Amino acid sequence: MEDTPAPLPDEEPSLDGPLVTEKLHKVLARAGLGSRRACENIIREGRVEVNGRRAKIEDRVVADEDHITVDRRPIPHRPAPVYILLHKPKGYITSVGDPHGRRSVDELVKSRHRLYPVGRLDADSTGLLIMTNDGDLTQRLLHPRYHVPRVYMVRVRGDVPPVVLGRLRHGVMLDDGPTLPARVEMLERSHNTTVLRFVLEEGRKRQIRRMCEAVSHPVLDLQRVAMGPLRLGDLGVGRWRHLTASEVLQLEQAAAAGERARARQGKPRERR
């Protein structure tokens, strides 16, 4: 679990990133033309054109490149979404700026847009962090009803016995209520420590650290290595890159698939 930032590259990633297509009704909704459902109806009524042709409900567009009109009038401009993958190092908080002068992740990423982290990683944790200005996708990735898993590699103190693994898997009672069931796998033991792989579908504040404290095996190192289909890979600590259009589409599809799965299983358990 590397925690030393890699040297900066000779060339920083492009500030603009790749062109990312979006569903047309999402772009219309972001431009203030109504809810997504209302915007779908506007498209069905034949009132929307993209680059001079009548739009279809399944169209995907590049907001900053395609010419989009409604009733022959250009839609109000809104910034195109930006999606960045950061390998967060230790010592940085996942917020945009800090009144107490602590280092925050926005200092590591160069962008013309104001970006926000998708979820939390505490200052002592490392790993995959998405930063974006797409609030809708942020919500879909974080809410338990969308069923998007986050994967963590966790080194804890002590030799974790099977009975404790069972407690972690079935849910642990915390001061804000029981956790949802988690997938927890033991990977290795050495020198009175154990490495565990956690897969969570909820993201409470310092959740894994609190779960492990509750079973008397405090966390020594914690790294997030995946969110849905997105993997950290070999991106160096402190480095960042833009997501590809394909990766953004895969995240959207994962959230949509998770929502359908939850609908079949019933509503997610509410915290008490």
Side-chain angles (χ1 to χ4, degrees):
M1 298 182 186
E2 182 185 14
D3 59 12
T4 302
L8 292 176
D10 294 333
E11 295 184 4
E12 291 290 348
S14 162
L15 298 186
D16 296 321
L19 297 178
V20 175
T21 63
E22 301 178 88
K23 293 178 180 178
L24 176 58
H25 66 269
K26 179 178 176 180
V27 174
L28 297 178
R30 191 170 71 242
L33 297 175
S35 67
R36 288 195 178 192
R37 187 178 297 276
C39 290
E40 287 178 348
N41 290 333
I42 291 173
I43 297 170
R44 290 191 182 98
E45 291 166 2
R47 298 165 54 193
V48 183
E49 292 186 351
V50 178
N51 300 328
R53 67 162 182 82
R54 182 171 173 173
K56 295 184 281 237
I57 195 70
E58 66 271 16
D59 281 351
R60 297 185 69 91
V61 297
V62 178
D64 283 353
E65 295 288 325
D66 290 309
H67 182 62
I68 305 167
T69 61
V70 176
D71 299 329
R72 301 298 178 93
R73 296 180 181 178
I75 66 171
H77 177 74
R78 295 290 186 274
V82 175
Y83 308 93
I84 282 173
L85 169 59
L86 169 68
H87 187 158
K88 178 195 168 300
K90 282 187 179 181
Y92 287 80
I93 60 172
T94 48
S95 66
V96 179
D98 181 64
H100 304 293
R102 293 173 295 179
R103 293 180 295 180
S104 58
V105 291
D106 62 321
E107 299 172 25
L108 299 169
V109 173
K110 292 189 171 95
S111 176
R112 296 186 178 93
H113 302 273
R114 189 168 180 82
L115 306 179
Y116 297 90
V118 178
R120 308 181 185 98
L121 277 177
D122 63 61
D124 292 328
S125 299
T126 67
L128 182 153
L129 184 68
I130 300 171
M131 298 189 67
T132 183
N133 56 355
D134 186 340
D136 181 71
L137 182 60
T138 296
Q139 166 72 4
R140 289 162 65 82
L141 290 175
L142 294 180
H143 198 287
R145 75 169 174 264
Y146 294 107
H147 205 55
V148 178
R150 276 85 84 185
V151 183
Y152 302 83
M153 301 290 289
V154 185
R155 186 166 64 92
V156 301
R157 181 174 295 127
D159 188 352
V160 179
V163 66
V164 170
L165 284 177
R167 289 182 61 191
L168 293 171
R169 289 167 178 158
H170 288 94
V172 176
M173 179 60 71
L174 302 178
D175 56 7
D176 54 353
T179 63
L180 295 176
R183 283 172 276 168
V184 186
E185 177 185 2
M186 181 184 297
L187 299 183
E188 64 179 72
R189 297 189 186 101
S190 63
H191 301 100
N192 196 35
T193 65
T194 304
V195 176
L196 303 173
R197 180 179 182 269
F198 273 77
V199 183
L200 301 184
E201 291 172 3
E202 61 177 339
R204 303 192 210 175
K205 187 175 182 180
R206 298 177 66 86
Q207 179 172 337
I208 292 177
R209 293 182 184 275
R210 293 162 63 205
M211 290 174 69
C212 292
E213 285 280 358
V215 297
S216 302
H217 290 277
V219 169
L220 301 175
D221 290 294
L222 186 153
Q223 181 184 60
R224 182 158 59 205
V225 296
M227 176 177 279
L230 190 61
R231 301 291 183 267
L232 181 62
D234 59 1
L235 185 66
V237 178
R239 299 277 293 274
W240 61 275
R241 66 172 178 82
H242 290 277
L243 297 188
T244 66
S246 174
E247 287 173 326
V248 175
L249 181 58
Q250 288 173 38
L251 287 172
E252 292 177 344
Q253 291 172 338
E259 186 176 22
R260 290 192 297 269
R262 283 287 175 167
R264 291 192 296 268
Q265 297 170 6
K267 295 181 179 180
R269 185 177 68 191
E270 294 183 0
R271 297 184 207 145
R272 298 183 180 276

